[in-house]
Amino acid sequence: MKLVQSILTKNDCYKSGRKITVKGLMLHSVGCSQPNASVFVKNWNRSGLEACVHGFIDGNTGTVYQTLPWNHRGWHAGGAANNTHIGVEMCEPACIKYT
Ligand SMILES: [Zn+2]
């Protein structure tokens, strides 16, 4: 597995600096056809966003871009899951059908 450090240091979530004790992993689909993880990494490295996750997995290469330290509190799930879970998004090509 290739892991690329791409911490979103300009994202407000990163700046808020809260830490968590990790209890699990949430693996999500980004829900749109954009296989290129670096597109998300570029778009999310700014202030004014109300979302931030720990990583993106590239839909073509499988490369993992780590976008928050693993023990940083993400802005990802609704409810309390942000307090305990790492959040990672899978990027997907256009052939995926969403139902
Ligand atoms: Zn998600």
Side-chain angles (χ1 to χ4, degrees):
M1 183 184 86
K2 193 172 166 208
L3 182 67
V4 179
Q5 291 279 332
S6 311
I7 303 298
L8 300 174
T9 54
K10 294 178 184 151
N11 188 293
D12 297 327
C13 173
Y14 177 81
K15 291 184 200 161
S16 77
R18 288 185 58 189
K19 299 293 174 191
I20 61 169
T21 301
V22 177
K23 300 220 167 79
L25 170 72
M26 267 180 295
L27 193 56
H28 281 178
S29 152
V30 292
C32 61
S33 60
Q34 173 50 267
N36 192 344
S38 65
V39 171
F40 291 96
V41 172
K42 283 195 197 94
N43 280 334
W44 287 36
N45 196 17
R46 60 185 169 91
S47 62
L49 275 184
E50 292 186 7
C52 199
V53 294
H54 295 85
F56 291 94
I57 304 171
D58 192 281
N60 291 322
T61 63
T63 297
V64 179
Y65 293 80
Q66 183 183 358
T67 47
L68 283 176
W70 301 126
N71 67 342
H72 198 95
R73 184 178 182 275
W75 293 353
H76 180 218
N82 286 330
N83 297 327
T84 50
H85 280 62
I86 290 171
V88 174
E89 299 287 332
M90 293 182 292
C91 302
E92 294 162 343
C95 62
I96 302 271
K97 296 257 185 291
Y98 300 98
T99 56

